[in-house]
Amino acid sequence: MLRSLKIYLMLFTLSTLTMKAQEKLPLKLIARTPMPGYTGDFDHFAVDRKGNRLFLAAEEHKTVEVFDLRTGARLHSIEGFAHPLMMVYLPDSDQLVVTDGDDNAVELVDGKQYKITKTIKLKPDVDHGVLNPVDKYYYVESGGASNAPTHTLSIIDTTSFKHIGDIEGLPGSSSEGMAIDRSGQKLYVNLTGTDEVGVVDLKTRQLVAKWPLPEAHNAHPIVLDEPNHRLFIATRKPAQFIVFNTDTGKAVASLPCVGVNSDMSFDVERKRIYLTGSEAASVFEQLDADHYEHLAEVPTGYRAKSSIFVPDLKRLYVAVSGKGKPDAKLELQIYEVQ
């Protein structure tokens, strides 16, 4: 009897300590939506804030999944893609623009009927994209390949949905992450293969600067902190969170982070950075423009590299993938900031 009581007290103490440890984490898991029957990787998200919808690219399933933003419930599967990757939601027209890798195309999706209505064919290796907030041009990488010396950014006018031009000859094989300033004048891009950050003047459509990564390779997510003139980047080899001064092009901070990272968000209100990769989300706090503190590694799931932060809901949405793991349990996870 005494032994059983000791075991009970020990288990209770461990459980209490675990709960307290979770309470101290900057992100708390509040909901999960299992995705049985899905395999491979999920890629990037998009948000329809007015309609309370969350969109997620299911690469191998060849669909874009639609979820309720508040509950996480799955609402619909949009079909017709070969390899959906990156997307942006257009609230004014209730449409979704999706990059389709295997089809080398950009697709326009009707947000009410959930149907592809238009397609623009581009060069091979279509992947990442970024929307200019001013003129609504969508810049899409294409024309690269493994070890290719250069690649292209194709320009799509999302208002007319027409291919209106290209930025040719960017160094490296691809652009694994892009960001545009609020004035719509500068585009910052990871130049994969040359281990540099490129700065493109969007008025002249010319590459005007290149900044070398500090002893790091394979850069992926990129986020702009415009008021502080800082650019956040994460690399995979090694896994590093790097901060650049956009006035000088010099790196001012570098900290270890989660590996296989793919998405990153800046929580401006709390001065936090949420960076997601396999098994965890790295959370950093911005002390000032040049100084950053690692707050926590929040456990997530296998290849949970895709994420998006919705500031007014104070939630981080994370997709747990399954590439290379036959018994992987794919799901959508919702975390609340604490």
Side-chain angles (χ1 to χ4, degrees):
M1 180 71 177
L2 183 60
R3 184 171 181 272
S4 298
L5 180 60
K6 287 182 177 178
I7 292 173
Y8 171 79
L9 289 172
M10 182 180 70
L11 291 174
F12 177 78
T13 302
L14 288 173
S15 175
T16 302
L17 289 173
T18 300
M19 289 177 65
K20 287 184 177 180
Q22 289 177 344
E23 288 174 0
K24 292 178 182 178
L25 289 174
L27 295 170
K28 179 182 179 181
L29 180 63
I30 60 170
R32 59 199 334 156
T33 303
M35 301 287 286
Y38 286 72
T39 59
D41 270 354
F42 292 122
D43 210 2
H44 296 284
F45 285 98
V47 169
D48 166 20
R49 189 64 195 85
K50 183 179 178 180
N52 283 310
R53 292 181 296 180
L54 180 71
F55 303 95
L56 174 62
E59 295 186 48
E60 292 189 17
H61 203 249
K62 304 180 186 301
T63 59
V64 170
E65 299 301 311
V66 188
F67 301 87
D68 185 294
L69 193 60
R70 293 191 176 276
T71 67
R74 192 160 68 92
L75 304 175
H76 194 82
S77 289
I78 307 174
E79 301 177 339
F81 306 98
H83 191 186
L85 296 165
M86 176 75 74
M87 68 192 85
V88 61
Y89 177 73
L90 308 174
D92 292 343
S93 59
D94 190 16
Q95 293 175 313
L96 194 67
V97 179
V98 183
T99 63
D100 198 341
D102 287 351
D103 270 356
N104 304 317
V106 180
E107 317 274 15
L108 186 66
V109 178
D110 183 287
K112 292 184 178 63
Q113 300 297 320
Y114 292 136
K115 300 290 185 182
I116 297 173
T117 59
K118 294 181 181 179
T119 298
I120 296 174
K121 291 287 186 177
L122 298 174
K123 297 177 181 179
D125 296 292
V126 166
D127 196 341
H128 281 74
V130 65
L131 183 70
N132 188 321
V134 177
D135 57 22
K136 308 304 179 185
Y137 289 176
Y138 194 50
Y139 294 82
V140 180
E141 69 160 307
S142 64
S146 180
N147 299 318
T150 64
H151 65 285
T152 299
L153 291 185
S154 298
I155 307 169
I156 309 297
D157 183 343
T158 61
T159 304
S160 62
F161 201 66
K162 292 181 178 180
H163 179 194
I164 61 169
D166 298 288
I167 300 172
E168 302 273 10
L170 288 178
S173 58
S174 64
S175 300
E176 293 285 354
M178 292 179 274
I180 295 177
D181 64 9
R182 284 176 292 187
S183 66
Q185 296 181 4
K186 286 184 179 179
L187 181 150
Y188 300 88
V189 56
N190 286 324
L191 302 175
T192 306
T194 64
D195 295 331
E196 296 170 311
V197 180
V199 183
V200 177
D201 184 317
L202 294 180
K203 186 176 181 180
T204 63
R205 299 181 182 176
Q206 297 294 315
L207 181 68
V208 294
K210 294 186 296 182
W211 308 334
L213 294 172
E215 299 181 0
H217 315 278
N218 203 355
H220 271 257
I222 181 169
V223 171
L224 183 61
D225 173 16
E226 200 168 345
N228 286 312
H229 302 252
R230 295 296 181 264
L231 190 71
F232 307 143
I233 290 174
T235 60
R236 292 185 177 181
K237 296 180 181 179
Q240 290 286 122
F241 166 69
I242 302 170
V243 182
F244 279 88
N245 181 325
T246 57
D247 292 329
T248 66
K250 304 295 184 183
V252 297
S254 181
L255 291 86
C257 67
V258 66
V260 198
N261 49 69
S262 187
D263 279 321
M264 177 166 46
S265 300
F266 185 31
D267 182 347
V268 176
E269 181 181 346
R270 293 163 191 81
K271 299 296 182 182
R272 289 181 186 169
I273 296 97
Y274 308 120
L275 172 60
T276 48
S278 191
E279 308 293 350
S282 295
V283 183
F284 300 95
E285 182 178 2
Q286 184 185 58
L287 305 178
D288 59 42
D290 290 343
H291 298 91
Y292 299 78
E293 179 184 0
H294 177 262
L295 293 183
E297 293 292 298
V298 179
T300 53
Y302 177 73
R303 288 183 71 84
K305 56 188 180 60
S306 302
S307 64
I308 194 167
F309 178 60
V310 180
D312 62 313
L313 292 180
K314 302 177 183 178
R315 289 180 174 183
L316 181 73
Y317 298 81
V318 178
V320 177
S321 294
K323 185 177 180 180
K325 188 177 180 182
D327 61 342
K329 293 179 172 56
L330 282 69
E331 64 180 12
L332 170 71
Q333 298 178 339
I334 304 177
Y335 291 83
E336 190 172 69
V337 300
Q338 299 188 89

